[in-house]
Amino acid sequence: AYGYDKIVDEPLSSYTIGLPDGSVPAINLLRKTVIGMGFQEVFSHILTDKSTLIPGMGTAAALEIENIMSETYSAVRNSLIPQLLDVISKNKHEDYPQKIFEEGIVAAREGDRIAETHSLALVSAHSKADFTEQKQYVSAMLGAVGMAFTIQPCEHPTFLKGRAGYIAINGKPVGILGEISPAILSKWGIEMPATAAELNLNLVLQDY
C-alpha cells in the first residue's frame, strides 16, 4: 500500500548470525528422554476450542480470541494436557497403552500482561496407568538434565483426589502430575485409566 519504490535504502548497520535459544539443547534432551520411554510426540496448535480447555487445567483462565473465525480456534491454550487427552479420545480405537507427549508454548494472563511459557506434558493411558508410573517418567526425564525433585501432595480438578501432586525443584513448584479423574476422562469418552504430568520448562531450566 505504501509502495516499495518509496522505501529509502539504508546501509547495513549490524550483522548477526542466528543461534538457538540457550534452553534448546536441554529441551531437546528432555524430548529425547521421553521418546526413549516409548512416548510418541504430538504437535498441536496453540489456538484451540475454548471448550477443550477445562476450567482449572491451567494456572489461569484461558485467553479467548475476541473476533473468532471459527470455534475450533477460539482460545489460546493455557495447558497442553487437554489437547493430549483430545488426541487420546480420537484414537481410543487403537491398541493400548497409548503414551503421547508435547512440548510447546502455553499462555496465560498475569495481571495486565500476557505471559508465554514453554511447557512439556505427558499422558499415559492403559489399564494399569497409575500415579507411580507417571512419577517414574518424570524422575527419568528430570534425571536426564540432572534435576532432583520432590512431590508436594495437592488437590486439583484435573486429577483424582489424593492422587495428584506438585512437582517441586528446590521447594518451588514447577509442574504437576497425577491420575486423571473419571469426570475428565468421561468428558472425552476415554474408557481407560490415564495419568498425566505437565512441567513449566521456564522454571525447570532457569538454573540449568
Side-chain angles (χ1 to χ4, degrees), residues 131 134-135 138-139 142-143 147-154 164-177 198-199 204:
F131 182 91
Q134 193 62 246
K135 183 180 177 181
V138 171
S139 179
L142 291 180
M147 297 289 181
F149 72 99
T150 58
I151 299 295
Q152 301 173 351
C154 70
Y166 289 120
I167 303 162
I169 295 176
N170 296 324
K172 183 177 182 179
V174 298
I176 194 168
L177 67 84
E198 185 158 9
L199 291 163
V204 171

Side-chain angles (χ1 to χ4, degrees), residues 26-197:
I27 290 175
N28 285 340
L29 178 57
L30 291 171
R31 291 173 54 247
K32 290 177 181 179
T33 301
V34 177
I35 291 170
M37 294 187 291
F39 283 78
Q40 183 173 353
E41 189 165 15
V42 170
F43 297 93
S44 58
H45 294 287
I46 190 171
L47 296 181
T48 186
D49 184 340
K50 65 182 179 182
S51 66
T52 299
L53 299 177
I54 308 166
M57 287 289 279
T59 57
L63 301 169
E64 296 185 27
I65 307 301
E66 185 172 357
N67 299 308
I68 61 172
M69 298 295 292
S70 167
E71 286 290 341
T72 304
Y73 303 110
S74 57
V76 182
R77 65 189 181 189
N78 57 353
S79 171
L80 297 177
I81 292 175
Q83 289 174 302
L84 292 178
L85 291 174
D86 190 47
V87 171
I88 295 287
S89 73
K90 289 179 170 62
N91 290 276
K92 58 188 178 183
H93 58 283
E94 300 292 344
D95 292 338
Y96 288 88
Q98 292 188 28
K99 301 194 296 183
I100 58 176
F101 82 100
E102 181 168 7
E103 177 273 319
I105 297 293
V106 299
R109 187 179 299 280
E110 291 185 358
D112 59 355
R113 64 184 289 269
I114 305 302
E116 290 189 349
T117 303
H118 262 98
S119 184
L120 190 152
L122 305 81
V123 170
S124 174
H126 57 91
S127 61
K128 296 182 179 179
D130 62 13
F131 182 91
T132 300
E133 175 200 34
Q134 193 62 246
K135 183 180 177 181
Q136 290 171 340
Y137 293 144
V138 171
S139 179
M141 184 170 54
L142 291 180
V145 290
M147 297 289 181
F149 72 99
T150 58
I151 299 295
Q152 301 173 351
C154 70
E155 300 295 328
H156 193 283
T158 306
F159 303 106
L160 273 169
K161 187 175 182 179
R163 305 297 295 172
Y166 289 120
I167 303 162
I169 295 176
N170 296 324
K172 183 177 182 179
V174 298
I176 194 168
L177 67 84
E179 297 179 15
I180 304 293
S181 75
I184 299 297
L185 294 176
S186 178
K187 173 182 171 64
W188 271 282
I190 299 172
E191 299 173 354
M192 286 282 180
T195 63

